[in-house]
Amino acid sequence: MVFWRGQRNKDQNEITAPEQTEIPTSSTNRAPEPLSIERLKRVVDPNTLGFKTTDDLTPITGLIGQDRALAAIEFGTEMRAHDYNIFVLGPPASGKHTALKTQLQKKALTSSTPNDWVYVYNFDEPNQPRALRLPTGRARKFAKSMIAAIDELRAVVPSVIESEDYQSRRRAVDSVYEAHHEKALETLTQKAAVNNIAILRTPQGFAMAPMHEGKIVKPETFNALPDSMRAEKQAQIVAFETELAEILRRLPKSEKERRAKVVALNEDVSRAAVTGALDDVIAAFRDVPSIVTHLQAAAVDLVRNIAIFIPTHEQDSGPIREPADTTRDVRYRRYLVNVVVANNSGPDAESNDNGTGAPLIDELNPNYGNLIGRIEHVAQMGTIMTDFLLIKPGALHRANGGYLLLDARKLLTSPFAYDALKRALKSREIRIEQPAEAAGLLAPQSLDPEPIPLNVKVILTGERETFYQLHQLDPDFGGLFKVQADFDDTIQQTTDNQRAFAQILASVVVEHKLRPLTASAVARVIEHGARLADDQDKISIALGIISDVVRESDYWASKNNHSTIEASDVSHAIDTQIQRADRIRDHAQETVERGLILIDTDGGKIGQINGLAVLQIGNFSFGRPNRITARVRMGSGRIVDIEREAKLGGSLHTKGVMILYGFLAGRYAQDFPLALGATLTFEQSYGGVDGDSASSAELYALLSAIAEAPIRQGLAVTGSVNQWGEVQAIGGVNEKIEGFFDICKERGLTGGQGVLIPKSNAQHLMLRDDVISAARSGKFHIYPIAHVDEGIELLTGIVAGTRTSDRTYPTDSLNARIELRLRNLADKAHQFSTPPKS
């Protein structure tokens, strides 16, 4: 490694050539020893847990070790501002949803219960139903009171109409108009009779005919009369028809006056009945002015339309009967009440499922209608109809005054739902409208319900990628969801957390009615949690996955006739989970064993090394070795990444290869040009390659090819490298080790096989028991590597060497061979570039 320092010449005041200063690349040239058995896996001692079975523990729910996220939720729920909504970040199946509901339930129970809301008919604007607020717990009572009032009118009004007083007054009204009409017709009939003209009533109406001596003159007789006599008689008939027409013209007006008198009579006699039916309702809700106003308007409308309570002759005589249920009769629907929100609190409250306190709604299907509400329609007489009773509340209505829990992914994948939620939060009101209207599209005419004021705390749950994308792509998101509750994937593996983890397992046992876990079984589950976390010092809190392991362990305990879940049952459950998912892994290993994929596990090869990769198939990941080869020659200093040239390499892999050039040039080519031409490739790789975890293996192959030093094929390598040769941590270290171990085990362990891993990855080791057993018997080794010098020594068996005071490497060192080869390539390149002398 070289630092470049610029200095000024004191005499010439100009910059001289930089001085080269090399920092030693390694504090020692000794290859590292294999890791001890204790460092390959953190084993949990059951005796330190302090219990025999989970029956000895108090079950707990929720999450442990998530103080940051829980504090954020506490802050978000305390901030009542409408724009301080919460987004809960965390991995799926981590138990955050259950923990969140548990904490919110505690908060909701100590909060005040919000008001009730109903929709009622708008007698002034029927197309715009009114939203009325009622004190908590009184909405259902109001709805039942209105049904009782209508039922009372249905019983009282017919009896009032059938009373002798009403009938006599009705007959008086009818007789006045009927007598006037009949008198006019009788006068005209008598007048016509004096002139020998008869007025006849027929099914088709009135008709006139000449008479003689009180008898109708037959048409043939009338036609035989002299013309003058016929003309005179016809003129008289025309005159009487004119008078009859005038009488009949006045008849509708008289009938209208009669109906008006009847209506006035009905209103007069029904007003008392309506008042009596609604008095109790008004008295019960006199403290709610909006209800009183609505009842007064309903009373006026009831009096005006009292005829709907009067049975018709067809209903009395025909087979059709009025519906026994008032709520099903279309004539009375306008007087009913649509209960939108009904909470359970207050002196008039009735029993419901909400309980006391603020509502906590977990909407599992947050589509547009379920979130905002919808207006339903029914088919009636071949037509689609709707009214205010068909307004259905959404999750925002039910959660109003409390908390609404939504899954962000489901919300975003439901058309119009996310935009509707933002509109409601911004305007602080719930406006029910059809999605087409909300999108500005042409929609059929429907109801326009009055908006309901909104006061709700919305909590979205989702993965981190969803949160970051919303922040980046939606300018409104950050202004509405200002609280970020970030749940960690893991917790520290401390004594306290181990016991708390055991208590969570006890809650799983109680919830699913399982056998209790012994302390050794709990220890095995904790070890599995550390493996899921890929860290000896942490435990995964993917409680969904952990719960599945416990339940499957209970199944195997039943198969083994165990009264408790033992550690062997847990191990069996974990092994069978892997077995169900590892078909592709077995197929990949088979291709190696049959020689279809070339992997060497013994001997030595120049420029060839076993790299390690991780394949992810669904929830299952496994390691697989890949042969990496390097070829060198004289060139212009370029390292050709064949994966990149074939467009199979990703940007991170390309970056790793470019770092190799920086290392070679910085270490070896300080005073001569790097005249190297090299190619690197993953052999038999037919898919994309990305990531830099193989960059150290590629560097070892390159150094081997330059120095012409064989690499031990019984060793595999993983780890990234920087320009100073430091080996850096990578992911999937356990899977990579086990993938190479399985190949070696199948071919036979020789004791010279193993894996080189970054030293910083040693803390992540949670290896399988068979790998540890092989390491214990000295047949397989795990080497921690901090610098490429340590790794190349181990791989080649040649001391890497450190520059001496005269800036040279020891002659027998690998670095000296590499530098000499590169210098020779530079000299040859210089010879080719120098023109020959004439």
Side-chain angles (χ1 to χ4, degrees):
M1 291 177 283
V2 178
F3 285 134
W4 292 80
R5 258 197 328 254
Q7 290 184 338
R8 285 190 178 275
N9 187 304
K10 296 181 181 180
D11 298 331
Q12 301 179 3
N13 194 27
E14 60 183 18
I15 298 178
T16 63
E19 177 184 346
Q20 300 178 6
T21 303
E22 171 100 8
I23 295 179
T25 58
S26 177
S27 59
T28 175
N29 285 338
R30 185 176 59 85
E33 295 294 327
L35 289 172
S36 63
I37 304 303
E38 293 75 16
R39 297 188 63 186
L40 301 183
K41 179 180 180 180
R42 178 170 179 173
V43 179
V44 179
D45 184 1
N47 297 323
T48 63
L49 298 179
F51 60 88
K52 292 183 178 179
T53 70
T54 52
D55 285 345
D56 302 333
L57 301 174
T58 301
I60 61 173
T61 58
L63 294 178
I64 53 178
Q66 299 288 353
D67 296 338
R68 179 192 296 107
L70 297 179
I73 294 173
E74 180 70 18
F75 169 75
T77 53
E78 292 287 346
M79 286 288 295
R80 298 309 303 171
H82 75 283
D83 52 349
Y84 273 80
N85 298 291
I86 306 170
F87 194 105
V88 178
L89 298 75
S94 64
K96 65 180 182 298
H97 190 272
T98 302
L100 182 62
K101 287 189 67 175
T102 300
Q103 181 159 350
L104 292 177
Q105 283 171 349
K106 297 177 182 178
K107 193 72 178 176
L109 288 174
T110 59
S111 303
S112 59
T113 306
N115 292 327
D116 293 353
W117 285 93
V118 300
Y119 272 114
V120 296
Y121 186 77
N122 188 338
F123 296 100
D124 296 326
E125 296 290 342
N127 208 41
Q128 300 176 359
R130 297 182 59 204
L132 302 182
R133 185 200 306 262
L134 287 89
T136 304
R138 298 175 69 181
R140 286 198 172 95
K141 181 177 181 181
F142 177 46
K144 291 185 176 181
S145 298
M146 288 303 296
I147 294 175
I150 299 301
D151 286 339
E152 180 179 345
L153 289 174
R154 292 183 67 184
V156 170
V157 171
S159 62
V160 171
I161 298 301
E162 294 171 0
S163 66
E164 184 60 31
D165 176 64
Y166 175 82
Q167 292 297 331
S168 62
R169 295 172 64 181
R170 173 67 180 269
R171 285 193 296 270
V173 172
D174 292 341
S175 62
V176 170
Y177 289 93
E178 289 176 1
H180 179 73
H181 177 62
E182 291 298 329
K183 183 178 180 180
L185 288 177
E186 183 180 354
T187 301
L188 181 62
T189 302
Q190 292 175 355
K191 184 178 178 181
V194 172
N195 292 277
N196 288 321
I197 296 175
I199 300 179
L200 306 174
R201 296 192 185 209
T202 69
Q204 290 76 28
F206 289 94
M208 293 186 182
M211 293 191 306
H212 180 69
E213 294 180 355
K215 296 181 180 181
I216 301 297
V217 177
K218 295 181 178 180
E220 57 271 17
T221 304
F222 181 76
N223 291 332
L225 295 175
D227 293 341
S228 59
M229 187 177 294
R230 285 202 317 271
E232 180 183 358
K233 190 57 65 178
Q234 289 175 346
Q236 291 177 345
I237 290 174
V238 170
F240 284 115
E241 285 179 345
T242 302
E243 292 186 34
L244 178 60
E246 180 61 24
I247 293 173
L248 295 178
R249 188 186 64 80
R250 293 197 303 268
L251 182 60
K253 182 178 180 181
S254 299
E255 180 62 22
K256 181 179 179 181
E257 293 175 356
R258 186 192 71 81
R259 287 198 302 268
K261 291 289 186 181
V262 172
V263 170
L265 173 61
N266 290 343
E267 292 180 357
D268 184 48
V269 299
S270 64
R271 186 171 288 107
V274 171
T275 301
L278 295 181
D279 273 350
D280 292 341
V281 186
I282 294 176
F285 294 91
R286 193 174 300 279
D287 58 324
V288 188
S290 59
I291 298 297
V292 174
T293 301
H294 172 71
L295 291 174
Q296 291 171 348
V300 172
D301 193 77
L302 281 167
V303 170
R304 185 182 301 119
N305 297 283
I306 199 65
I308 63 175
F309 297 98
I310 303 174
T312 62
H313 294 294
E314 291 79 2
Q315 290 172 327
D316 290 338
S317 59
I320 300 177
R321 295 291 182 266
E322 294 185 16
D325 186 0
T326 298
T327 60
R328 298 176 58 187
D329 196 318
V330 296
R331 296 174 297 173
Y332 311 130
R333 289 178 67 86
R334 68 168 69 183
Y335 307 111
L336 303 181
V337 177
N338 183 358
V339 178
V340 177
V341 178
N343 294 299
N344 183 28
S345 182
D348 299 326
E350 301 180 14
S351 177
N352 58 44
D353 297 331
N354 292 343
T356 58
L360 171 60
I361 303 300
D362 183 10
E363 180 54 59
L364 300 180
N365 183 22
N367 59 39
Y368 184 90
N370 291 346
L371 187 64
I372 304 298
R374 61 187 180 275
I375 302 173
E376 295 184 343
H377 295 74
V378 295
Q380 194 174 85
M381 303 296 290
T383 306
I384 300 299
M385 305 293 292
T386 188
D387 63 12
F388 74 99
L389 293 178
L390 294 176
I391 299 174
K392 303 302 178 182
L396 284 175
H397 294 92
R398 301 194 304 274
N400 202 3
Y403 307 93
L404 177 58
L405 191 58
L406 300 173
D407 183 275
R409 183 181 59 83
K410 294 180 181 178
L411 178 69
L412 293 171
T413 54
S414 297
F416 308 109
Y418 178 59
D419 288 335
L421 175 63
K422 290 195 299 180
R423 282 195 302 271
L425 293 176
K426 285 182 181 179
S427 61
R428 304 177 69 178
E429 65 180 18
I430 312 170
R431 181 180 294 276
I432 301 178
E433 52 189 353
Q434 296 187 38
E437 295 177 356
L441 303 176
L442 184 62
Q445 183 178 6
S446 185
L447 300 179
D448 183 19
E450 182 180 356
I452 292 179
L454 178 63
N455 177 26
V456 68
K457 185 68 66 176
V458 178
I459 300 96
L460 293 181
T461 61
E463 299 182 13
R464 294 185 178 88
E465 291 79 5
T466 305
F467 176 80
Y468 300 142
Q469 288 177 0
L470 285 173
H471 245 302
Q472 180 180 3
L473 302 176
D474 183 10
D476 299 327
F477 176 77
L480 293 174
F481 292 87
K482 295 184 176 180
V483 180
Q484 172 185 347
D486 196 347
F487 281 80
D488 202 348
D489 303 2
T490 60
I491 58 173
Q492 289 292 329
Q493 187 172 173
T494 63
T495 302
D496 292 341
N497 282 348
Q498 285 180 346
R499 187 170 183 85
F501 191 83
Q503 290 178 283
I504 290 180
L505 297 182
S507 70
V508 174
V509 169
V510 173
E511 179 184 358
H512 297 284
K513 298 180 175 57
L514 309 177
R515 294 169 177 78
L517 288 89
T518 63
S520 60
V522 171
R524 183 66 185 91
V525 175
I526 293 175
E527 291 172 2
H528 183 60
R531 172 60 186 258
L532 293 176
D534 276 330
D535 199 316
Q536 295 180 354
D537 298 327
K538 295 183 181 294
I539 307 175
S540 170
I541 55 170
L543 298 185
I545 299 175
I546 297 297
S547 176
D548 292 343
V549 170
V550 175
R551 289 188 292 168
E552 293 178 25
S553 301
D554 179 77
Y555 169 81
W556 292 113
S558 68
K559 289 290 186 181
N560 297 325
N561 296 321
H562 294 164
S563 59
T564 57
I565 299 175
E566 306 292 339
S568 59
D569 300 321
V570 177
S571 296
H572 195 177
I574 296 171
D575 292 341
T576 53
Q577 276 188 347
I578 295 173
Q579 184 182 22
R580 293 193 296 269
D582 68 350
R583 183 188 65 84
I584 296 179
R585 181 184 69 175
D586 290 347
H587 178 70
Q589 291 180 354
E590 181 185 358
T591 59
V592 174
E593 292 308 309
R594 297 178 64 183
L596 303 177
I597 300 296
L598 301 179
I599 298 292
D600 291 333
T601 56
D602 58 9
K605 294 288 182 66
I606 295 175
Q608 177 179 304
I609 195 169
N610 294 320
L612 296 173
V614 173
L615 297 183
Q616 181 82 31
I617 308 295
N619 293 327
F620 179 66
S621 58
F622 61 92
R624 189 185 71 176
N626 286 95
R627 172 179 289 182
I628 300 174
T629 59
R631 300 295 299 272
V632 297
R633 65 190 185 283
M634 184 178 63
S636 60
R638 183 188 177 200
I639 300 177
V640 176
D641 177 10
I642 295 180
E643 312 301 324
R644 179 188 178 187
E645 297 298 323
K647 295 182 171 51
L648 293 176
S651 57
L652 293 179
H653 179 259
T654 300
K655 174 186 175 183
V657 173
M658 295 175 70
I659 286 175
L660 305 186
Y661 176 84
F663 172 80
L664 292 175
R667 166 175 276 201
Y668 302 109
Q670 293 292 324
D671 53 2
F672 60 86
L674 188 62
L676 173 73
T679 55
L680 283 170
T681 188
F682 282 72
E683 302 290 356
Q684 293 184 285
S685 172
Y686 307 108
V689 175
D690 202 4
D692 63 347
S693 64
S695 59
S696 65
E698 291 172 315
L699 180 57
Y700 293 140
L702 196 57
L703 296 178
S704 167
I706 296 172
E708 296 181 334
I711 289 179
R712 295 167 55 189
Q713 298 301 294
L715 298 177
V717 176
T718 184
S720 68
V721 68
N722 61 24
Q723 293 189 96
W724 305 108
E726 297 167 330
V727 180
Q728 303 166 142
I730 43 81
V733 63
N734 293 291
E735 290 82 359
K736 292 176 178 179
I737 293 173
E738 292 165 355
F740 187 66
F741 171 81
D742 290 338
I743 300 297
C744 296
K745 181 180 178 181
E746 188 67 25
R747 294 180 173 179
L749 297 173
T750 63
Q753 296 152 334
V755 177
L756 282 65
I757 66 170
K759 185 176 182 179
S760 53
N761 276 124
Q763 59 190 315
H764 302 145
L765 295 178
M766 290 294 296
L767 295 171
R768 292 191 326 234
D769 290 341
D770 58 342
V771 180
I772 296 175
S773 177
R776 182 179 287 109
S777 61
K779 295 181 178 180
F780 198 79
H781 309 284
I782 312 299
Y783 298 97
I785 305 299
H787 195 276
V788 292
D789 284 345
E790 300 173 359
I792 198 65
E793 278 193 24
L794 189 62
L795 290 166
T796 62
I798 303 174
V799 175
T802 303
R803 287 190 187 276
T804 60
S805 58
D806 61 352
R807 301 191 54 75
T808 61
Y809 288 107
T811 56
D812 58 346
S813 67
L814 189 72
N815 283 326
R817 292 170 61 175
I818 294 171
E819 187 174 58
L820 178 61
R821 177 78 184 280
L822 293 175
R823 188 179 294 276
N824 290 338
L825 291 175
D827 291 341
K828 290 182 180 180
H830 178 70
Q831 293 174 8
F832 276 100
S833 62
T834 303
K837 296 182 180 179
S838 58

